[in-house]
C-alpha cells in the first residue's frame, strides 16, 4: 500500500467523481436512487406547462361547449414563470391565448360574455406570469451573487489544503448542515513550520456570522502561532489569548459563553511520531496500514479554548508513534453525533475498523457518503474532516 502514488488531484472529491461505497475501501458504489430520480423529475417539471395545455385542448375538444378548461390554461403560464426563461414564459402565455381564441371560435362561443371574460382572465394571468418570471430571474441573480460571495468567503477562511505538505498526504472535507451554506462554526487548518506540520480541527460554539468570525480569528491566530511557537502547548496558549481578545469585542451571550473545542496536532519531519493536544474535542482516530485503528485519547483533557478564566489546566501534548502507511483522522462532532432514523449515533471507529484506504481523499469521500446514508441525508450539525497520511 505504501508504494501507491498520490492521487493526481487536490484533497477532496471533484464534481463528477464516483462515490465510494461505504462497505468497501476502494470500489466505487452505486449512484443513490435519489440522484437517479433527479433528472426525470426535472424533465417532468419542464414539460408540465406543455402537458397542461395539451390536456386542456383535449378536454375542450371532447366536451360540450359550455364546459371549459380555463383553470388549466391559466395554470400553464404560472407554472412556466419560475422554471422557464422570460422568452419561454412569454411564448407559453401567448400560446395559451391563441389556443383559447381558436377553440372558442371553433366551438362557436367566442361571442358569449363568459368566453370573453375567460379570455381576458387568461391573458391577464399570462401577463402576470411574465412579471413573476422577471422577479424570479432577479432573485436568482441575487442568490447567484450571494453564492459566489459565500464561496469566496469559504476559500478565504477555510482554504483547501495542498495535497502534500511536508511530505504528508492531506485531505480535508467540510459540509455545512444548513442547506445552501458553505461555512459555519467548524474549522480546520494545516500549517508547515520549522518544527513540523501542525494541524487544528475545531468547533466554535454558536451559529451564524458570529461563529464564522470566531473561526477566522482561530485560524488566523493558529497560522501565526504555528510558525512562531516552539511547542504545541504554546500554540494553544496563543489561541487562548486570541479568543479572549475576541470575547471583549462581542456582545450578549457570546461575550460570556463563547468557546471553541479543538484538537491540535504536530507531525515532526521524519521522526515518525505524532503529538496531540486536546481542548475538549472528540479524540482523533489513527488508522494503521493493516486496518486496525486507535483513539488518540488524551490522559487529561483541558478546557476548550476561550474558557481560560474558569480555571487553569496545564496543556500537555501526548506523543505516540505515527508509522508509515498510517492515517490520522480528525473530525468534529457533526460526524460522531449524526443520528439515524432510530436516533442512534454514528460511530466512526466501528464503521472504519478493518478497512484500508489508499489515500486520505478516499477515506474522507467514503466517510462523508457513509454518514449521509446513516443520517438519511439530513445533517444536524456542521461536519469538518481532516485526514493526514504518512506515506
Amino acid at each position: 500500500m505504501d508504494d501507491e502514488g498520490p492521487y493526481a488531484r487536490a484533497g477532496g472529491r471533484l464534481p463528477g467523481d464516483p462515490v465510494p461505497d461505504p462497505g468497501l475501501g476502494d470500489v466505487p458504489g452505486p449512484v443513490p436512487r435519489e440522484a437517479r430520480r433527479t433528472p426525470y423529475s426535472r424533465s417532468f417539471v419542464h414539460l408540465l406547462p406543455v402537458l397542461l395545455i395539451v390536456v386542456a385542448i383535449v378536454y375542450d375538444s371532447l366536451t360540450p361547449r359550455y364546459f371549459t378548461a380555463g383553470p388549466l390554461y391559466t395554470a400553464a403560464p404560472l407554472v412556466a414563470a419560475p422554471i422557464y426563461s422570460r422568452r419561454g414564459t412569454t411564448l407559453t402565455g401567448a400560446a395559451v391565448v391563441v389556443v383559447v381564441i381558436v377553440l372558442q371560435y371553433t366551438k362557436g362561443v367566442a361571442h358569449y360574455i363568459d368566453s370573453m371574460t375567460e379570455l381576458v382572465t387568461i391573458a391577464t394571468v399570462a401577463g402576470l406570469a411574465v412579471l413573476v418570471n422577471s422577479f424570479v430571474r432577479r432573485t436568482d441573480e441575487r442568490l447567484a451573487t450571494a453564492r459566489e460571495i459565500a464561496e469566496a468567503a469559504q476559500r478565504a477562511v477555510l482554504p483547501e489544503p495542498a495535497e502534500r505538505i511536508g511530505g504528508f498526504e492531506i485531505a480535508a472535507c467540510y459540509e455545512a448542515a444548513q442547506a445552501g451554506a458553505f461555512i459555519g462554526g467548524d474549522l480546520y487548518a494545516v500549517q508547515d513550520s520549522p518544527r513540523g506540520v501542525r494541524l487544528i480541527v475545531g468547533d466554535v460554539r454558536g451559529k451564524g456570522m458570529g461563529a464564522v468570525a470566531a473561526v477566522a480569528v482561530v485560524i488566523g491566530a493558529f497560522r501565526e502561532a504555528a510558525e512562531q511557537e516552539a511547542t504545541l502547548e504554546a500554540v494553544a496558549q496563543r489561541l487562548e489569548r486570541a479568543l479572549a481578545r475576541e470575547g471583549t469585542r462581542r456582545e450578549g451571550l457570546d461575550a460570556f459563553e463563547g468557546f471553541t473545542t479543538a484538537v491540535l496536532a504536530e507531525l515532526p519531519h521524519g521522526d515518525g511520531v505524532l503529538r496531540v493536544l486536546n481542548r475538549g474535542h472528540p479524540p482523533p482516530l489513527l488508522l494503521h496500514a493493516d486496518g486496525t485503528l486507535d483513539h488518540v485519547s488524551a490522559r487529561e483533557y483541558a478546557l476548550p479554548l476561550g474558557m481560560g478564566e474558569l480555571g487553569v489546566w496545564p496543556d500537555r501534548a501526548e506523543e505516540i508513534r505515527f508509522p508509515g502507511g498510517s492515517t490520522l483522522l480528525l473530525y468534529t462532532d457533526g460526524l460522531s453525533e449524526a443520528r439515524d432514523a432510530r436516533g442512534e449515533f454514528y460511530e466512526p471507529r466501528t464503521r472504519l475498523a478493518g478497512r484500508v484506504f489508499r489515500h486520505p481523499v478516499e477515506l474522507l469521500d467514503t466517510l462523508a457518503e457513509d454518514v449521509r446514508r446513516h443520517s438519511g441525508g439530513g445533517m444536524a450539525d456542521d461536519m469538518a474532516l481532516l485526514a493526514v497520511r504518512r506515506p
Side-chain angles (χ1 to χ4, degrees), residues 10-12 158-165 170-173 188-191 223 385-387:
L158 288 180
E160 188 77 17
E163 182 185 359
R164 276 184 173 268
I165 300 177
I170 310 287
C173 172
Y188 61 79
V190 183
Q191 184 73 31
R223 294 195 181 281
L385 307 173
L386 181 63

Side-chain angles (χ1 to χ4, degrees), residues 25-391:
D26 54 1
V27 181
V31 178
R33 191 183 311 168
E34 291 78 5
R36 295 197 298 268
R37 282 201 302 257
T38 300
Y40 300 104
S41 61
R42 287 181 179 175
S43 299
F44 174 76
V45 170
H46 277 77
L47 287 175
L48 188 55
V50 178
L51 293 176
L52 288 171
I53 296 175
V54 171
V55 171
I57 293 174
V58 172
Y59 180 87
D60 264 344
S61 301
L62 299 179
T63 57
R65 64 183 185 181
Y66 47 82
F67 284 80
T68 176
L72 296 177
Y73 292 122
T74 55
L78 290 177
V79 173
I83 59 178
Y84 286 0
S85 64
R86 179 181 297 179
R87 180 184 178 187
T89 304
T90 303
L91 291 176
T92 302
V96 166
V97 172
V98 170
V99 166
V100 170
I101 292 175
V102 171
L103 286 174
Q104 285 182 354
Y105 275 99
T106 301
K107 297 174 73 172
V109 297
H111 60 284
Y112 291 162
I113 187 64
D114 291 345
S115 298
M116 293 168 43
T117 301
E118 179 186 59
L119 179 61
V120 171
T121 301
I122 293 174
T124 302
V125 171
L128 291 176
V130 175
L131 295 179
V132 170
N133 176 269
S134 299
F135 176 77
V136 170
R137 296 303 118 194
R138 287 196 297 269
T139 302
D140 287 346
E141 291 173 0
R142 288 195 294 267
L143 289 175
T145 302
R147 185 180 181 89
E148 292 175 359
I149 294 172
E151 290 176 344
Q154 182 188 37
R155 288 192 294 268
V157 177
L158 288 180
E160 188 77 17
E163 182 185 359
R164 276 184 173 268
I165 300 177
F168 298 95
E169 296 172 344
I170 310 287
C173 172
Y174 190 99
E175 293 198 14
Q178 185 177 359
F182 288 86
I183 186 173
D186 289 9
L187 62 96
Y188 61 79
V190 183
Q191 184 73 31
D192 199 5
S193 76
R195 296 166 184 84
V197 176
R198 287 173 168 172
L199 314 96
I200 184 173
V201 167
D203 186 356
V204 174
R205 177 202 167 275
K207 303 289 184 182
M209 293 307 299
V212 175
V215 166
V217 170
V218 172
I219 291 180
F222 169 78
R223 294 195 181 281
E224 182 180 0
E227 286 278 354
Q228 299 176 357
E229 298 295 345
T231 65
L232 210 55
E233 291 85 350
V235 174
Q237 289 302 315
R238 284 278 290 271
L239 299 181
E240 182 74 42
R241 293 192 294 270
L243 282 174
R245 289 193 300 270
E246 174 67 12
T248 61
R249 294 192 290 267
R250 292 194 174 194
E251 297 179 354
L253 191 62
D254 285 344
F256 303 98
E257 296 188 3
F259 62 86
T260 300
T261 66
V263 168
L264 293 90
E266 182 179 84
L267 306 173
H269 298 296
D271 285 355
V273 300
L274 163 67
R275 299 188 185 98
V276 176
L277 190 153
N278 197 312
R279 281 297 198 100
H281 198 78
L285 290 175
L286 185 61
L287 287 72
H288 298 284
D290 60 358
T292 61
L293 54 82
D294 299 304
H295 270 124
V296 185
S297 300
R299 298 175 189 171
E300 182 179 356
Y301 283 80
L303 286 174
L305 297 168
M307 299 182 69
E309 293 182 356
L310 299 182
V312 178
W313 277 263
D315 290 311
R316 294 190 180 92
E318 306 287 340
E319 185 171 298
I320 62 174
R321 289 284 301 160
F322 189 33
S326 298
T327 301
L328 177 68
L329 173 65
L330 302 99
Y331 57 91
T332 59
D333 58 10
L335 175 71
S336 57
E337 294 183 1
R339 295 175 183 259
D340 62 10
R342 295 172 295 179
E344 295 181 0
F345 289 111
Y346 184 87
E347 178 49 63
R349 180 167 183 169
T350 303
R351 298 280 187 148
L352 297 175
R355 299 167 68 179
V356 176
F357 302 91
R358 296 176 298 174
H359 192 277
V361 172
E362 187 179 358
L363 166 61
L364 297 194
D365 284 351
T366 303
L367 195 58
E369 181 63 24
D370 195 24
V371 74
R372 283 191 217 105
R373 295 188 185 189
H374 177 81
S375 61
M379 302 290 293
D381 196 3
D382 297 342
M383 178 179 71
L385 307 173
L386 181 63
V388 184
R389 179 177 181 269
R390 181 185 291 277

